[in-house]
Amino acid sequence: MQFTSEQRLDDGVLEREFTLGEIPGVLWTPESASASAPVPLILLGLPPLGLRRMYPRLVARARGCTADGFAAATIELPGSGDRPRWAAAEQARADLRRVMEAGEPVGDEIIDALVLPLVEKSVPEWQVSLDAVLSLPDIGGPVGYSGGVISIGIRLAVVEPRIVAAGFFAGSLVPRAMFEEARRVTIPLHVLLQWDDEGNDRQASLDLFDAFGSKEKTLHANMGGHTGVPQFAGEDAAGFFARHLR
């Protein structure tokens, strides 16, 4: 793990960009973090739109985490941002845009081509990154996962025992195979659903929530579209992580 830049934000948060092999990422730690008092960690998932493009939203989420005494980290997904283009992913995204612009339903073939290879490639990278971040003296467990592509979160919740709680953003572009994996998820879950999300199949999101095998799972549904998440929804998610990571 090589740090490539470092800055203090105006609230004292230490922001460090890093590379891990070909994987770029960002790590945020609160002023309170030290080798004598390592802090818990929240992994911040993101959509495949590029870390630079998503930075304003990511840093806002990270500052929320650090204000609660947690470190936060994210990595660039394969084929996104400044990483090498991935022809299969580009084609899958083009197919998705074509279907959605035509007002046609998104079929399983497109969803599988778009999501399953991304899960297969990105989850091992998240695990390698987790190894590296947890090796730092000022960061310890437990670990939470928040947001991003819900199928990546599902796979991580199944295969990564260091993740003890997860907060998901409900989305309907979920391969059928991931519903079976969802039944194997047992950690506490906090799922946010925007009831009027124009790009989301509400019933598919409800079906996925029902499939999760966790004994503790909470669905927070709010009126409004994709960008209309109320401020208190973030406060509720912060309370969820505070309960499970302290």
Side-chain angles (χ1 to χ4, degrees), residues 3 13 28 42 62 134 145 151 167 202 204 208 211 220 230:
F3 290 109
V13 174
W28 295 270
I42 297 180
L134 289 181
Y145 177 87
S151 292
R202 183 192 304 160
L208 180 61
H220 279 232

Side-chain angles (χ1 to χ4, degrees), residues 6-193:
E6 177 179 315
Q7 66 170 331
R8 284 279 178 189
L9 304 183
D10 54 15
D11 53 1
V13 174
L14 177 62
E15 178 184 274
R16 289 173 283 180
E17 296 187 8
F18 65 84
T19 57
L20 189 61
E22 64 177 21
I23 309 167
V26 186
L27 172 65
W28 295 270
T29 48
E31 284 188 292
S32 60
S34 67
S36 60
V39 296
L41 172 68
I42 297 180
L43 303 177
L44 300 181
L46 71 164
L49 298 175
L51 209 163
R52 299 296 175 194
R53 179 176 172 184
M54 294 299 299
Y55 175 81
R57 291 171 60 183
L58 285 166
V59 73
R61 291 167 60 196
R63 281 175 147 165
C65 295
T66 55
D68 291 331
F70 306 134
T74 192
I75 59 172
E76 187 78 88
L77 292 177
S80 297
D82 297 329
R83 297 188 66 175
R85 296 298 91 188
W86 180 11
E90 295 288 316
Q91 183 60 56
R93 292 171 191 164
D95 291 342
L96 176 66
R97 285 194 298 270
R98 173 181 51 79
V99 169
M100 295 186 73
E101 289 171 359
E104 300 172 359
V106 182
D108 290 343
E109 183 176 346
I110 292 177
I111 294 174
D112 288 356
L114 183 71
V115 177
L116 292 178
L118 183 61
V119 172
E120 295 296 333
K121 285 179 175 286
S122 64
V123 167
E125 293 187 349
W126 272 112
Q127 292 183 288
V128 169
S129 302
L130 182 56
D131 290 341
V133 173
L134 289 181
S135 71
L136 300 173
D138 54 346
I139 300 174
V143 180
Y145 177 87
S146 173
V149 178
I150 194 170
S151 292
I152 293 175
I154 291 170
R155 174 67 61 81
L156 279 169
V158 171
V159 304
E160 182 47 72
R162 291 172 292 185
I163 296 177
V164 301
F168 293 150
F169 301 154
S172 60
L173 295 180
V174 180
R176 293 185 184 275
M178 299 307 301
F179 278 71
E180 290 306 312
E181 290 199 36
R183 301 183 200 284
R184 297 164 52 198
V185 173
T186 59
I187 61 174
L189 297 179
H190 179 102
V191 182
L192 174 63
L193 170 64

